[in-house]
Amino acid sequence: MHKRYFDNTFAEYNKQDVVIDATIWQPKIKQLVDVIVKQQINRRTCDGGLYVGLGGVAYALWFISTKLPNSDGLLKEAHKFSQAHLQHCTTKDVSRQPSSRLGFLLGNKGIEAISAVIAKDSGDHQLCQDLTFKFHSACKDFLAPDPLGCGSDEMLVGRAGYLSGALWLHRTLGTPVLSEKDLHSLCDVMVDVGRKYSRETCSPCPLMYQYHNTEYLGAGHGLTGILQMILSVPNYFKYNPGAEADVRGSVDYLVSLQMDDGNFPCAMDELGANSRTQDEELVHWCHGAPGVVYLLAKAHLTWGGNAYINSAIQAAECCWKQGLLKKGPGICHGVAGTGYVFLLMYRLTQDKLHLYRATKCAEFLYSPQFQTARTPDCPLSLYEGWAGTACFLTDLLQPEKAAFPFFEVFP
């Protein structure tokens, strides 16, 4: 089988100063934005939520408009795209499916969230209020153990994603959309579901979850994203001290699964004799080391010590060796997603080794070698394509504030 990644031929960091020249990167970002905006005219798909749909492009344009000088027109484009996707969310086929109605990254709640923020920044405070009210309405559904009927705790359509959206809205709007009581109640359900499933299946992990009958471990569909969102809710362990031991025990269990190369298995059915060969391993945000790094960083900020930071450094090494991915530029399973790992590690450690590596990921996106990478199914989108990559390049210009979309680790 062919390797999933390009060989990394960049020189190792040797303590040199790391220069990030805005005069080089800003024109590249604006060029990407121009292509993305122009090509939306012929691409009116609203399927796939923030993940690959028009709303994700709206998020990227909004985000870049808040960071880059002379980008005032982007907010207007973002508003146009978010409104188009919002209108799509009201159609019967979309609104009656639980995962579409309740999902954050792959459903309506994410579109309501980004549209609310864009509405506020565009001066339409009433629309912002209406949309945050709609966003809040899903809280009641998610207080049931399994409203989706296939596992309701993961990031793309489940409770973890909904929590990430609520926390992002609070940070971005400056006011809570869900009360602390609501957030704590959602965490209680997540912990209870994880405990119950773990007991029923005799899992070695104190909290375990299934999504469509698979016990995923990564950030996208699995344990990693769920644990990170529980850890991200302020004051949860003060409110429910009994949950902390099981959450920490679950993080420790994940750390125990780390492989010699620093990566993590995708699911419980890939342990031991069923493990993948190194060339078949997934080194993605959704499955593997790049997504687990965020949880390890959050665990380190929560509990300190050396175990989590050492595990994160080992995972980042795996990303450096196997993270120049052939799947494309995106943040979920592409080169920009690898770059975000190093921006996070730089914020966490202040070690310029990681900033150097982030810049090399950015450079690789413009290398002749990368031109042979696969074109994603949704090449302009937020998670698979160039819209998310443009966010990464924008964050590279302010690395001390950089954060993977909707996945901020720092309080």
Side-chain angles (χ1 to χ4, degrees):
M1 178 171 174
H2 295 299
K3 287 191 292 193
R4 297 175 181 270
Y5 57 93
F6 296 101
D7 289 330
N8 188 338
T9 58
F10 286 112
E12 288 293 346
Y13 177 64
N14 63 3
K15 307 290 187 184
Q16 72 267 38
D17 196 25
V18 180
V19 177
I20 301 168
D21 189 344
T23 63
I24 292 173
W25 292 109
Q26 283 183 4
K28 290 185 183 298
I29 295 164
K30 289 180 178 178
Q31 185 180 32
L32 276 180
V33 166
D34 287 346
V35 170
I36 290 165
V37 170
K38 283 173 185 170
Q39 292 194 21
Q40 297 309 314
I41 297 166
N42 301 316
R43 176 197 162 275
R44 293 194 50 82
T45 178
C46 293
D47 295 330
L50 291 171
Y51 190 84
V52 291
L54 206 54
V57 173
Y59 167 85
L61 299 181
W62 165 81
F63 175 77
I64 294 165
S65 78
T66 68
K67 301 284 185 181
L68 242 57
N70 306 316
S71 54
D72 301 339
L74 290 188
L75 182 62
K76 187 176 178 182
E77 295 290 347
H79 184 68
K80 181 173 72 177
F81 294 150
S82 68
Q83 289 302 298
H85 202 147
L86 199 58
Q87 192 173 2
H88 174 75
C89 289
T90 61
T91 61
K92 283 185 182 177
D93 287 345
V94 172
S95 58
R96 78 171 155 236
Q97 294 175 357
S99 59
S100 295
R101 185 168 59 84
L102 301 174
F104 181 70
L105 290 182
L106 278 178
N108 293 3
K109 294 303 131 187
I111 305 307
E112 290 162 8
I114 183 57
S115 299
V117 168
I118 292 171
K120 182 194 174 210
D121 285 0
S122 302
D124 193 338
H125 297 281
Q126 184 60 52
L127 179 59
C128 176
Q129 189 176 333
D130 293 346
L131 290 170
T132 53
F133 181 80
K134 277 188 174 183
F135 181 91
H136 183 279
S137 69
C139 183
K140 182 179 176 183
D141 294 88
F142 276 127
L143 289 173
D146 193 10
L148 305 181
C150 56
S152 298
D153 293 283
E154 52 87 80
M155 275 293 299
L156 272 70
V157 292
R159 260 181 291 266
Y162 182 65
L163 279 175
S164 80
L167 296 171
W168 177 77
L169 279 170
H170 188 170
R171 277 193 303 273
T172 310
L173 296 174
T175 182
V177 173
L178 266 62
S179 68
E180 192 166 80
K181 181 182 176 184
D182 288 335
L183 295 172
H184 291 168
S185 296
L186 290 166
C187 287
D188 280 346
V189 177
M190 293 167 85
V191 170
D192 290 344
V193 167
R195 282 172 173 162
K196 183 181 178 188
Y197 183 81
S198 179
R199 284 195 305 268
E200 288 174 350
T201 58
C202 300
S203 174
C205 187
L207 305 176
M208 185 50 70
Y209 303 84
Q210 62 81 27
Y211 181 65
H212 286 287
N213 299 313
T214 298
E215 296 171 0
Y216 291 106
L217 295 171
H221 284 309
L223 184 63
T224 291
I226 295 166
L227 294 175
Q228 186 186 330
M229 285 308 125
I230 295 173
L231 282 175
S232 297
V233 170
N235 304 313
Y236 178 58
F237 293 146
K238 287 182 184 175
Y239 157 78
N240 184 356
E244 185 169 5
D246 283 346
V247 172
R248 186 165 188 176
S250 301
V251 176
D252 290 344
Y253 176 72
L254 260 176
V255 171
S256 78
L257 299 180
Q258 190 167 27
M259 296 179 278
D260 291 343
D261 65 358
N263 203 14
F264 290 84
C266 298
M268 290 294 285
D269 60 7
E270 293 188 10
L271 302 186
N274 295 323
S275 61
R276 298 170 182 241
T277 66
Q278 187 170 9
D279 285 351
E280 293 175 320
E281 284 178 16
L282 301 184
V283 185
H284 302 167
W285 170 79
C286 49
H287 301 292
V292 184
V293 166
Y294 297 87
L295 172 63
L296 295 169
K298 192 69 187 176
H300 177 70
L301 293 171
T302 304
W303 295 305
N306 293 322
Y308 306 120
I309 189 75
N310 288 343
S311 181
I313 289 168
Q314 194 181 352
E317 284 297 324
C318 171
C319 296
W320 180 239
K321 288 169 184 165
Q322 300 179 55
L324 299 180
L325 299 171
K326 293 181 178 180
K327 283 192 89 168
I331 61 172
C332 183
H333 37 255
V335 175
T338 302
Y340 262 123
V341 168
F342 298 119
L343 289 178
L344 169 68
M345 291 300 294
Y346 174 65
R347 285 186 71 187
L348 191 67
T349 67
Q350 293 301 298
D351 186 342
K352 287 194 175 177
L353 160 75
H354 301 296
L355 190 58
Y356 168 82
R357 290 178 171 182
T359 63
K360 295 305 164 189
C361 289
E363 287 173 21
F364 188 74
L365 288 161
Y366 290 90
S367 69
Q369 195 177 15
F370 184 72
Q371 303 313 307
T372 66
R374 188 188 131 196
T375 299
D377 294 337
C378 300
L380 302 175
S381 63
L382 180 60
Y383 274 73
E384 284 189 0
W386 288 101
T389 307
C391 293
F392 161 63
L393 296 177
T394 302
D395 267 330
L396 186 66
L397 297 177
Q398 293 181 297
E400 66 285 349
K401 297 178 181 177
F404 190 98
F406 312 110
F407 228 51
E408 174 62 271
V409 166
F410 293 85

